[in-house]
């Protein structure tokens, strides 16, 4: 209901034109304030945020002169030939206050940090709930403005409308965020500033670091690998496919090592290395719907 609706109180109370319209359509007396509507997206929405650029992968270019958000197969286009030189796996618990539950103490988030040959910035790569950023007002732990209530976040201002929607806990998206930190020491220094039970991070650590040994490791190459991965399997599961399993797959793939496993022992139980998903052209496989694997 528009906030300037002249008879908004009558509409809510059931005595205005809203209820009259509902009675006309249904033949029943229905309070307009009790009505829920279900909106259905077009079929292509199960494969991306737009029909023209499928793939639930976004890249927030925060260090650009004008910060911008790009997503989907469009990320494989362009002339950026920066090369990825180092890869790191970083882990932390989320700060939830002074009192942590047993689950809080066991729950670690893992992410991958990429260093580039230009040394101007680095990139945080992580997997999470689909629309977890768009549905959370563009708030990200990797930027100082996360808690800026007056101006909001630069990431949120850069989000196109189609990316602002409720999150889905059983489906995933890959998030790439360019950050000012250009190397591991700088990123860990940033994390340290926000470490504490009432801040953002608890028990942060780096469990893996290695040179990138792929022959093709440009920014566009990395985007293509990530698109292949997310388009082949969009599911999200706390045990089988999550931030830790993704980080293990990506670190092992970029470093050329087959013995990388998730950080926490619980996530190692049902882990199966799936580095092959990065390699193969996803468009040549039958594309999956939300929350399902492709064939």
């Amino acid at each position: 209901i528009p906030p300037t609706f002249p008879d908004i109180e009558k509409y809510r109370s059931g005595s205005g034109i809203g209820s009259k319209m509902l009675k006309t359509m249904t033949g029943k007396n229905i309070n307009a304030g009790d009505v829920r509507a279900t909106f259905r997206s077009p079929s292509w929405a199960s494969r991306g945020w737009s029909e023209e650029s499928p793939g639930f992968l976004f890249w927030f270019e925060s260090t650009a002169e004008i910060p911008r958000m790009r997503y989907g197969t469009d990320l494989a286009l362009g002339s950026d030939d920066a090369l990825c030189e180092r890869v790191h796996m970083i882990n932390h618990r989320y700060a939830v206050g002074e009192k942590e539950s047993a689950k809080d103490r066991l729950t670690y988030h893992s992410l991958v940090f990429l260093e580039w040959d230009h040394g101007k910035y680095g990139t945080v790569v992580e997997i999470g709930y689909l629309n977890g950023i768009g549905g959370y007002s563009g708030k990200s732990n990797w930027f100082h403005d996360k808690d800026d209530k007056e101006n909001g976040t630069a990431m949120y201002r850069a989000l196109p409308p189609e990316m602002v929607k409720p999150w889905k806990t059983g489906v995933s998206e890959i998030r790439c965020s360019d950050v000012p930190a250009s190397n591991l020491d700088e990123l860990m220094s940033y994390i340290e500033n926000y470490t504490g039970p009432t801040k953002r991070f608890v028990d942060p650590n780096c469990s893996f670091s290695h040179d990138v040994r792929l022959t093709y490791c440009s920014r566009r190459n990395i985007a293509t690998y990530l698109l292949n991965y997310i388009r082949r399997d969009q599911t999200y599961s706390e045990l089988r496919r999550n931030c830790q399993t993704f980080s293990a797959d990506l670190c092992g793939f970029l470093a050329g090592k087959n013995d990388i496993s998730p950080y926490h022992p619980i996530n190692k139980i049902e882990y199966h290395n799936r580095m092959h998903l990065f390699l193969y052209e996803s468009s040549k496989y039958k594309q999956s719907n939300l929350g399902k694997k492709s064939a």
Side-chain angles (χ1 to χ4, degrees):
I1 305 172
T4 56
F5 196 92
D7 295 314
I8 190 168
E9 292 305 323
K10 290 182 179 180
Y11 191 102
R12 287 173 173 163
S13 66
S15 59
I17 62 172
S19 292
K20 294 179 181 178
M21 291 172 60
L22 289 171
K23 185 174 183 179
T24 299
M25 291 186 291
T26 66
K28 301 177 181 179
N29 289 315
I30 300 175
N31 187 340
D34 295 334
V35 174
R36 290 186 178 185
T38 299
F39 297 89
R40 298 192 180 279
S41 300
S43 60
W44 57 257
S46 66
R47 298 183 291 274
W49 288 292
S50 73
E51 186 174 13
E52 297 77 18
S53 185
F56 290 115
L57 161 72
F58 73 68
W59 205 305
F60 179 45
E61 300 173 350
S62 71
T63 61
E65 184 175 352
I66 299 177
R68 66 173 180 168
M69 180 71 73
R70 299 175 63 206
Y71 65 79
T73 53
D74 285 351
L75 289 167
L77 307 175
S79 58
D80 190 340
D81 59 355
L83 300 179
C84 188
E85 292 190 329
R86 294 278 292 173
V87 57
H88 313 275
M89 185 192 298
I90 297 172
N91 319 280
H92 67 84
R93 299 203 307 274
Y94 286 110
V96 295
E98 297 292 346
K99 294 184 179 180
E100 288 184 303
S101 68
K103 184 176 181 180
D104 293 332
R105 290 191 292 272
L106 292 174
T107 302
Y108 278 79
H109 176 62
S110 293
L111 59 112
V112 176
F113 179 61
L114 305 178
E115 295 185 22
W116 304 96
D117 62 343
H118 52 54
K120 297 178 181 178
Y121 55 79
T123 302
V124 170
V125 185
E126 54 193 344
I127 200 169
Y129 295 157
L130 177 62
N131 301 320
I133 291 293
Y136 194 52
S137 303
K139 294 181 179 180
S140 169
N141 279 335
W142 306 110
F143 300 100
H144 294 294
D145 65 359
K146 175 187 177 182
D147 301 313
D148 189 337
K149 297 180 180 179
E150 182 177 351
N151 302 308
T153 70
M155 180 179 281
Y156 192 62
R157 291 193 294 273
L159 282 172
E162 61 268 27
M163 292 182 69
V164 181
K165 58 183 68 175
W167 58 77
K168 291 180 174 289
T169 58
V171 194
S172 58
E173 66 185 12
I174 295 179
R175 309 161 184 168
C176 298
S177 303
D178 292 338
V179 295
S182 62
N183 56 57
L184 179 62
D185 289 340
E186 292 179 359
L187 184 67
M188 295 307 290
S189 177
Y190 170 89
I191 292 174
E192 181 63 29
N193 289 334
Y194 289 102
T195 294
T198 60
K199 296 182 180 181
R200 300 183 185 180
F201 310 104
V202 174
D203 189 26
N205 64 83
C206 178
S207 60
F208 176 81
S209 293
H210 206 283
D211 288 339
V212 172
R213 297 196 288 196
L214 281 178
T215 301
Y216 299 102
C217 57
S218 71
R219 185 181 174 100
R220 281 181 296 162
N221 294 146
I222 301 298
T224 300
Y225 300 140
L226 295 174
L227 278 167
N228 287 340
Y229 189 93
I230 193 64
R231 295 182 73 190
R232 287 288 304 280
D233 187 354
Q234 299 173 165
T235 60
Y236 191 93
S237 165
E238 286 191 354
L239 285 178
R240 297 181 182 87
R241 179 178 163 84
N242 51 48
C243 59
Q244 292 190 35
T245 61
F246 167 74
S247 296
D249 286 346
L250 184 56
C251 284
F253 175 68
L254 295 179
K257 297 180 71 68
N258 60 11
D259 59 349
I260 310 303
S261 60
Y263 174 71
H264 198 277
I266 291 179
N267 277 280
K268 295 179 181 181
I269 297 173
E270 298 192 37
Y271 173 67
H272 297 283
N273 186 298
R274 307 187 74 201
M275 292 191 296
H276 62 281
L277 295 185
F278 293 111
L279 285 171
Y280 299 104
E281 174 54 49
S282 56
S283 63
K284 296 185 182 298
Y285 292 81
K286 182 180 179 180
Q287 296 301 301
S288 63
N289 292 322
L290 283 182
K292 298 181 179 179
K293 303 175 184 178
S294 62

